[in-house]
Amino acid sequence: MKTIIVGGGPAGMMAALRASAFGETVLLEKNEKLGKKLYITGKGRCNVTNDCSAAELLENVPRNPKFLFSAVNRFTPGQLKEMLERLGVPLKTERGGRVFPQSDKSSDIIRALVRGLEAAGAEIRTGTEVTGLLTGDGEVTGVITDKGRISADAVIMATGGCSYPQTGSDGQGLAMVKRAGHGITQLRPALVPLNTSDSYVPQLQGLTLKNVSLNAQKGKKLLFSRQGELLCTHFGLSGPLTLTMSSVLAPEELAGLDIYIDLKPALSPEQLDNRLIRDFLGCGGRKLKNMLSGLAPSSLQPVLIGLSGANGDKRADQLSRKERESLVSVLKHFPVHAVSYRGFNEAIITRGGVDVRQVNSSTMESRLIKRLFFAGEMLDVDAFTGGYNLQIAFSSGFLAGESVGRYAFGISEN
């Protein structure tokens, strides 16, 4: 039996590793090397998975989590960690359960997977671009490449989505399966920064805000609220909270939203006001602009004073109740005016993909074309930051590779 895997990212490499146990496996990658996108993940550190249970992982999947139940339970984060360490990559766990190689080098993960592929006997062909699928009588029979046609008994598609197209994840694989008859849901950037129209946000470029809350509401309905970390940029906001919001709220939902940052989420407005009263009463005649060091970073302090309408040169103990309440309001409700999300060039993942209703979740096989399988970011599933998306890629790749032999052909492992 011969299986072709299209795409040499994490899903494709894992699918090839698993499929190799059942017969001849050929991994096709259009780039000059495998794992090009994997190489840049986590700023080169590679947050390869999360130290969590399968159930906890699925809680961090906002779209179609039930579809992933079989894949994530068949190949769990714990099993991935064991496999990588067996392949020679010591791992470490950081805040939030994020798992990284101890070396902080994504290249160590890639080299380990390549070693595994070579040991399993998989054939790796880089610099080979697949341009179409060969099908007949409702079955896949091979692929069309820029170097000719290749026949196969099964094909696993793992070409990624549209994010970071410079790495080869440019949506061509999705276009290919669409031509073959599969439905593709709307494609959007996800886990992506936010453009804002506020003149004061670019002034804060480079500022990281920790332990804050990012909130979005429409009227009285709170649509998003999470606590964590934000990064101010020259165009708007980035950082984990912003990226997570982009996976919850669609671009068209941004219009008319009241988006704000709670800089002191642990304190109620009343508690914060009482703190200001205590601080200002003991100010020793100091000006307001010199009294906010315990509440906000230095670059943020003049912005807070400006938005509150208070006079920064006024003695803090002479602030009126109205001025103090205005300052509290800004600290609890720092306004951000969203314009749009950034594009695919900056998106960590793609929202949308192959319609999962047309894929058997127990095997990753197409319901429309026999012996055609899918894995990774091609599928209409995506998760929050924290290593969950890479785990989805590895889990779906593992299940697809196993299903080729065990379920599609009833073959025992070699």
Side-chain angles (χ1 to χ4, degrees):
M1 185 195 77
K2 181 176 181 179
T3 302
I4 288 175
I5 295 91
V6 185
M13 285 190 280
M14 181 58 73
L17 266 173
R18 192 67 186 116
S20 293
F22 303 97
E24 181 184 358
T25 301
V26 181
L27 176 58
L28 304 178
E29 168 56 52
K30 66 180 177 181
N31 288 317
E32 71 283 0
K33 58 185 178 181
L34 301 181
K36 195 168 183 179
K37 184 177 177 182
L38 185 61
Y39 183 77
I40 65 172
T41 59
K43 297 180 180 178
R45 296 181 62 216
C46 194
N47 179 191
V48 70
T49 186
N50 193 283
D51 187 19
C52 66
S53 67
E56 289 169 331
L57 188 149
L58 294 175
E59 290 173 0
N60 285 276
V61 180
R63 253 169 307 285
N64 300 318
K66 291 182 180 179
F67 173 81
L68 291 169
F69 181 85
S70 293
V72 172
N73 279 278
R74 181 63 192 91
F75 191 66
T76 65
Q79 288 173 292
L80 175 61
K81 288 169 61 182
E82 289 175 9
M83 187 200 80
L84 290 173
E85 293 191 324
R86 192 170 61 248
L87 289 172
V89 185
L91 303 171
K92 61 181 177 179
T93 302
E94 297 186 359
R95 179 176 52 86
R98 291 168 166 82
V99 177
F100 296 86
Q102 284 186 12
S103 64
D104 284 330
K105 294 180 179 179
S106 56
S107 55
D108 285 354
I109 300 290
I110 298 168
R111 280 195 291 266
L113 293 171
V114 171
R115 285 196 301 270
L117 287 166
E118 291 171 346
E123 180 183 352
I124 300 171
R125 298 187 195 177
T126 55
T128 303
E129 183 173 3
V130 175
T131 58
L133 293 170
L134 294 171
T135 59
D137 297 325
E139 294 185 353
V140 70
T141 58
V143 297
I144 305 168
T145 77
D146 55 354
K147 295 178 173 61
R149 299 187 174 204
I150 306 175
S151 297
D153 300 297
V155 173
I156 300 175
M157 293 293 294
T159 60
C162 302
S163 61
Y164 293 135
Q166 65 272 24
T167 65
S169 178
D170 55 9
Q172 292 303 308
L174 290 167
M176 197 187 310
V177 298
K178 184 177 182 179
R179 291 196 298 270
H182 261 278
I184 307 297
T185 61
Q186 186 174 2
L187 303 174
R188 296 168 170 155
L191 296 183
V192 66
L194 181 72
N195 291 310
T196 67
S197 60
D198 311 287
S199 60
Y200 46 83
V201 174
Q203 297 174 30
L204 304 172
Q205 180 179 352
L207 175 64
T208 297
L209 297 171
K210 297 182 178 181
N211 299 317
V212 299
S213 174
L214 181 63
N215 307 277
Q217 64 183 67
K218 197 158 195 175
K220 295 183 178 180
K221 186 176 182 181
L222 189 63
L223 301 180
F224 178 84
S225 181
R226 286 210 174 200
Q227 190 170 331
E229 188 174 302
L230 284 172
L231 173 66
C232 298
T233 72
H234 65 284
F235 56 76
L237 295 179
S238 188
L241 284 179
T242 310
L243 303 186
T244 298
M245 188 178 79
S246 73
S247 284
V248 174
L249 300 176
E252 61 269 19
E253 294 180 275
L254 292 177
L257 280 185
D258 178 18
I259 299 177
Y260 60 95
I261 303 167
D262 185 345
L263 296 165
K264 295 294 173 184
L267 298 176
S268 68
E270 294 76 16
Q271 290 171 324
L272 185 54
D273 187 40
N274 288 333
R275 175 176 170 176
L276 290 181
I277 292 172
R278 288 194 306 269
D279 290 350
F280 292 172
L281 284 176
C283 74
R286 283 186 291 168
K287 297 176 180 179
L288 173 62
K289 65 183 180 183
N290 299 321
M291 285 297 299
L292 298 181
S293 58
L295 289 170
S298 56
S299 60
L300 182 57
Q301 293 168 29
V303 177
L304 291 172
I305 293 172
L307 289 174
S308 73
N311 182 354
D313 289 317
K314 190 173 183 178
R315 280 180 48 154
D317 58 359
Q318 293 181 352
L319 248 64
S320 67
R321 178 181 176 181
K322 184 177 180 181
E323 289 173 315
R324 198 180 64 248
E325 289 178 343
S326 179
L327 188 57
V328 168
S329 178
V330 174
L331 284 164
K332 295 292 292 179
H333 203 283
F334 186 87
V336 176
H337 298 90
V339 175
S340 63
Y341 291 123
R342 306 287 279 182
F344 279 115
N345 284 338
E346 298 175 53
I348 294 176
I349 56 166
T350 302
R351 176 177 175 176
V354 175
D355 191 335
V356 296
R357 293 172 297 181
Q358 299 174 345
V359 181
N360 185 335
S361 65
S362 298
T363 61
M364 297 292 128
E365 184 177 15
S366 166
R367 295 186 185 277
L368 307 182
I369 304 171
K370 291 181 180 179
R371 298 176 184 177
L372 174 65
F373 298 79
F374 298 100
E377 197 180 340
M378 289 194 77
L379 294 160
D380 182 17
V381 290
D382 58 272
F384 300 135
T385 58
Y388 305 112
N389 287 290
L390 274 180
Q391 181 63 49
I392 289 171
F394 287 121
S395 292
S396 58
F398 186 96
L399 181 56
E402 181 171 85
S403 299
V404 163
R406 186 163 288 173
Y407 303 113
F409 296 97
I411 300 173
S412 299
E413 293 186 39
N414 291 332

